[in-house]
Amino acid sequence: MTGLQAGLKNRHLSMIAIGGVIGAGLFVGSSTGIATAGPGILLSYALVGAMVVLVMRMLGEMSAANPSSGSFSAHADRALGRWAGFSIGWLYWFFWVVVLAVEATAGAKILEGWIPAVPQWGWALIVMVVLTATNLVSVGSYGEFEFWFAGIKVVAIGAFIVIGALAVFGVLPGVDSDKAGLSNLTDHGGFLPNGAGTILTGVLLVVFSFMGSEIVTLAAGETANPRKAVTKATNSVIWRIAVFYLGSIFVVVTLLPWDDKSIADKGSYVAALDSLGIAHAGQIMNFIVLTSVLSCLNSGLYTASRMAFSLGERGDAPKSFARVNGRGVPMAAILASVVFGFVAVFFNYLSPDKIFLFLVNSSGAVALFVWLVICLSQLRMRKIIQAEAPEKLVVKMWLYPYLTWATAALIVFVLGYMLTDTEHDGRETVLLSLLVAAVVLVIAVVKEKVGRGSSGADPAGEVTDKVSVG
């Protein structure tokens, strides 16, 4: 059998698209952003949200025209050159295998709190093994797991927004919250209590919780109608970000004053639920965070393996990565990704403050690198599509090329601003990520020079037609 199979149903892809933008980072990391920017953190989320919407629109344009399991890596390969597809593909793979270790550890901490008889490393191992098995069975089993994981997240956050909004406007039966109200947006030092500059600092703190929205364009290659799936998913990204990110953060900062001590002590969502007198708020939120962690792990393993598959298919990774079994599963690509994830989990327990911290920081800015490459690829790919098959432009980037250039400039600005941030490790993250990117780039350039003239590599122009979807 050659190529991936159409094992994902429309309901799977819809939930992958929705769940992809709700990471555990939204629940866990938002309290730091609120403490830094106050209610103004809403502007930080709106700014990053707008950036993601624009990037997804560009990616949607390219992926609807040429659906591929390699997504933006395959597009960069064709638009910018083999070096670009190789570099961004491997960096993205590296990002997700490190995420596997981070999320496995986060999930293990919650599970150990519930069942302390099993040590934390034991839970991390169990979680990794179960989700590896799920991904190895078939793409349909990955889709089914993700459908339910993401479904729990979506229902939970939807309920949180509805209940919280009713309490803010004083119409929630049985709850008399003396701290809730729209006045929380301005009463405690103003909307921007720590100054306008904290909006940008907030951007640095929240930008990484948005990573994952692009997964849907990789998954679309394994559906019966990739073009329709990509178009639908990228068109819906605006309301998904508006509802789940801006809606839930708005509820948090109106239910409680931004400087309420409980936000820092318990976490923003737990503190918000507690303020309504909801029993066992901490355990409820732990369950929701656990499903988010498992969802992120499941998607991370899927994403890393499909990127490895695409790299193998293009001759940029071992050929075995591009082989699939009788169920259309790229086993070698999955196992290679898992092995690195297991190694990273091991380092988290062996050397959390050195080796593991290096892995986390050196992959931290990859999200921004990926988005920047998507911008640059789209500028070139639009001309290629218009010249070769203009009828494939079913999704179009707005105000091309001006909005594309503006988005790229904003991403570069955020990266530059991170270099000035020593308080939240922004500078270290960018410098270490640039170091890893430079190493990968050197390997790409050397590989291209060595391989030039040989017939072993597939032509870059053919990458978009490789995925079997029938």
Side-chain angles (χ1 to χ4, degrees):
M1 181 179 287
T2 58
L4 302 171
Q5 302 304 297
L8 290 176
K9 298 173 183 172
N10 282 337
R11 66 183 177 87
H12 292 155
L13 202 75
S14 296
M15 205 51 85
I16 290 167
I18 295 170
V21 294
I22 312 172
L26 174 63
F27 301 111
V28 179
S30 53
S31 53
T32 309
I34 292 169
T36 302
I41 196 66
L42 283 165
L43 296 180
S44 304
Y45 273 101
L47 193 60
V48 179
M51 194 160 68
V52 171
V53 166
L54 294 171
V55 168
M56 281 297 291
R57 185 74 183 182
M58 296 175 220
L59 186 53
E61 176 181 298
M62 295 186 288
S63 295
N66 294 296
S68 165
S69 65
S71 187
F72 50 83
S73 173
H75 304 321
D77 196 309
R78 189 166 185 212
L80 304 176
R82 294 295 298 271
W83 62 272
F86 177 97
S87 303
I88 207 65
W90 276 114
L91 282 172
Y92 193 67
W93 179 86
F94 174 59
F95 171 85
W96 279 110
V97 290
V98 172
V99 165
L100 290 182
V102 174
E103 300 292 343
T105 305
K109 281 180 182 172
I110 295 172
L111 288 164
E112 188 193 26
W114 290 344
I115 309 174
V118 179
Q120 196 175 310
W121 65 266
W123 278 119
L125 189 66
I126 291 167
V127 165
M128 289 282 279
V129 168
V130 169
L131 290 176
T132 301
T134 302
N135 275 265
L136 285 172
V137 170
S138 70
V139 67
S141 63
Y142 153 73
E144 202 60 37
F145 259 67
E146 192 54 28
F147 177 80
W148 292 105
F149 285 153
I152 291 169
K153 283 194 293 187
V154 169
V155 170
I157 205 163
F160 174 81
I161 291 169
V162 171
I163 292 168
L166 290 173
V168 168
F169 292 105
V171 290
L172 184 66
V175 171
D176 182 25
S177 178
D178 56 339
K179 292 183 177 179
L182 295 176
S183 58
N184 284 330
L185 295 173
T186 53
D187 276 3
H188 300 264
F191 186 67
L192 292 166
N194 298 322
T198 55
I199 296 171
L200 287 174
T201 309
V203 165
L204 309 187
L205 295 171
V206 306
V207 69
F208 304 110
S209 65
F210 281 84
M211 191 68 168
S213 49
E214 66 292 319
I215 291 173
V216 69
T217 60
L218 282 89
E222 291 178 82
T223 61
N225 191 338
R227 186 163 289 124
K228 183 181 177 184
V230 166
T231 304
K232 186 178 176 184
T234 51
N235 284 343
S236 65
V237 74
I238 298 175
W239 72 259
R240 285 185 273 131
I241 286 173
V243 172
F244 295 121
Y245 277 85
L246 292 174
S248 65
I249 294 295
F250 174 82
V251 166
V252 169
V253 294
T254 49
L255 278 178
L256 283 169
W258 70 272
D259 53 357
D260 193 290
K261 194 171 179 292
S262 64
I263 291 178
D265 291 345
K266 301 175 184 175
S268 49
Y269 287 79
V270 174
L273 286 176
D274 264 347
S275 74
L276 298 178
I278 293 174
H280 311 296
Q283 291 304 332
I284 292 169
M285 193 49 64
N286 271 341
F287 174 73
I288 295 166
V289 170
L290 181 63
T291 58
S292 294
V293 162
L294 294 175
S295 169
C296 196
L297 259 172
N298 197 33
S299 289
L301 181 50
Y302 172 84
T303 306
S305 65
R306 284 348 183 240
M307 187 56 76
F309 170 86
S310 179
L311 288 164
E313 201 181 37
R314 287 177 271 147
D316 288 337
K319 288 278 188 237
S320 59
F321 285 10
R323 294 194 194 109
V324 296
N325 63 16
R327 297 183 302 277
V329 173
M331 287 187 68
I334 290 174
L335 293 173
S337 304
V338 170
V339 166
F340 196 98
F342 275 124
V343 169
V345 169
F346 173 71
F347 282 140
N348 191 22
Y349 294 103
L350 180 74
S351 178
D353 298 326
K354 290 182 181 175
I355 300 174
F356 189 68
L357 193 62
F358 169 80
L359 288 175
V360 172
N361 283 338
S362 61
S363 66
V366 167
L368 291 164
F369 295 165
V370 166
W371 296 344
L372 185 59
V373 166
I374 290 170
C375 294
L376 300 177
S377 299
Q378 191 263 338
L379 286 167
R380 176 96 179 84
M381 190 61 91
R382 167 68 78 90
K383 293 172 184 173
I384 295 172
I385 299 168
Q386 281 178 327
E388 293 181 0
E391 72 279 0
K392 289 185 176 180
L393 275 172
V394 290
V395 176
K396 285 188 178 182
M397 176 59 184
W398 306 295
L399 296 176
Y400 168 86
Y402 309 109
L403 212 45
T404 303
W405 279 116
T407 308
L410 180 59
I411 294 167
V412 171
F413 175 77
V414 170
L415 283 166
Y417 189 77
M418 283 179 77
L419 289 171
T420 68
D421 175 48
T422 52
E423 187 181 348
H424 302 100
D425 300 324
R427 178 183 293 176
E428 188 178 3
T429 298
V430 171
L431 292 176
L432 287 177
S433 297
L434 283 172
L435 174 65
V436 171
V439 170
V440 175
L441 196 56
V442 167
I443 294 170
V445 172
V446 170
K447 181 183 178 297
E448 194 169 354
K449 285 190 175 179
V450 170
R452 193 170 287 159
S454 71
S455 57
D458 294 321
E462 293 178 8
V463 301
T464 52
D465 301 317
K466 289 286 185 80
V467 180
S468 167
V469 293

